[in-house]
Amino acid sequence: DTAVSQTPKYLVTQMGNDKSIKCEQNLGHDTMYWYKQDSKKFLKIMFSYNNKELIINETVPNRFSPKSPDKAHLNLHINSLELGDSAVYFCASSPQDAGNEQFFGPGTRLTVL
Amino acid sequence: SQKIEQNSEALNIQEGKTATLTCNYTNYSPAYLQWYRQDPGRGPVFLLLIRENEKEKRKERLKVTFDTTLKQSLFHITASQPADSATYLCALEGGSSNTGKLIFGQGTTLQVKP
């Protein structure tokens, strides 16, 4: 059984479009995260939610909006996509917010044309 | 600003040797330091976590050291195997805020040759 799953695996879209990436974890964790990994492989945190409450909100354009309908799901909606949004987006979860390993999903490769 | 540096060059070693990867940081006082492995096209996988009051941690062929004075962590893989070839990421957590926010280094790619 997949612990942290993301859909879609690949997303190719035009500039200006709005898209969503979904994430689900079946580990019973309270905390979920979104990370962005750019072409230079730097992995940078964007958001984290603890039991549906926003905990971390890094300096991310407000075109990016996370939504957590329940603690097992954390979706990422992106409005008005730009070329610079092209990257791999990873969802992760952990049992609580500090001092614990994080379990990562397989990633969603977003390409904006 | 906070900075984490890992060997940017790929590390090539012969099978059976010990691989040593370095993670240096500045302007940060982490409460925890973690190491992850990432294979191409996959998400990072957790390997080890070490706390600021711990000097060393071991797990099977893996060993991590944490020197808060030098602001450095060393990650060792003993008796390396070709299957150990991957990118290894160090990540810092904690300090003034304890929110689970991980700050990652850029990773070091290890290639183990048979």
Side-chain angles (χ1 to χ4, degrees), chain A residues 5-23:
Chain A
S5 59
Q6 296 178 228
T7 53
K9 174 93 174 146
Y10 300 97
L11 187 52
V12 181
T13 188
Q14 299 287 332
M15 273 175 54
N17 283 350
D18 303 339
K19 290 292 178 186
S20 292
I21 306 172
K22 294 186 176 182
C23 178

Side-chain angles (χ1 to χ4, degrees), chain B residues 31-82:
Chain B
Y32 311 95
L33 189 146
Q34 302 188 30
W35 283 88
Y36 287 79
R37 169 183 173 143
Q38 187 173 24
D39 291 282
R42 293 179 173 267
V45 174
F46 171 80
L47 297 173
L48 281 168
L49 179 151
I50 189 165
R51 292 172 168 74
E52 60 179 335
N53 60 353
E54 297 176 316
K55 297 289 186 189
E56 183 180 297
K57 204 89 173 270
R58 291 175 186 259
K59 179 182 174 183
E60 298 171 354
R61 294 184 297 112
L62 309 180
K63 185 177 88 170
V64 172
T65 63
F66 192 10
D67 189 327
T68 54
T69 302
L70 289 178
K71 295 187 182 296
Q72 181 182 78
S73 175
L74 298 178
F75 177 78
H76 306 273
I77 306 175
T78 57
S80 59
Q81 305 164 0

Side-chain angles (χ1 to χ4, degrees), chain A residues 9 31 33 35 37 40-45 48 55-56 58 90 96-107 109, chain B residues 4 32 34 36 38 40-47 49 51 87 89 93-94 98-107:
Chain A
K9 174 93 174 146
T31 308
Y33 312 82
Y35 287 86
Q37 189 168 44
K40 294 183 180 178
K41 305 300 182 185
F42 268 103
L43 191 61
K44 189 170 181 185
I45 191 164
S48 86
I55 301 297
I56 296 173
E58 287 296 287
F90 288 99
Q96 60 187 47
D97 51 8
N100 284 280
E101 62 180 283
Q102 294 184 13
F103 293 76
F104 284 78
R109 181 173 293 276
Chain B
I4 304 173
Y32 311 95
Q34 302 188 30
Y36 287 79
Q38 187 173 24
R42 293 179 173 267
V45 174
F46 171 80
L47 297 173
L49 179 151
R51 292 172 168 74
T87 296
L89 306 169
E93 178 188 358
N98 218 18
T99 58
K101 174 180 171 181
L102 289 182
I103 300 176
F104 280 87
Q106 77 273 33

Side-chain angles (χ1 to χ4, degrees), chain A residues 1 6 9 33 49 54 76 93-94 109 112-113:
Chain A
D1 287 340
Q6 296 178 228
K9 174 93 174 146
Y33 312 82
Y49 271 72
L54 181 65
L76 184 65
S93 73
S94 68
R109 181 173 293 276
V112 183
L113 304 174

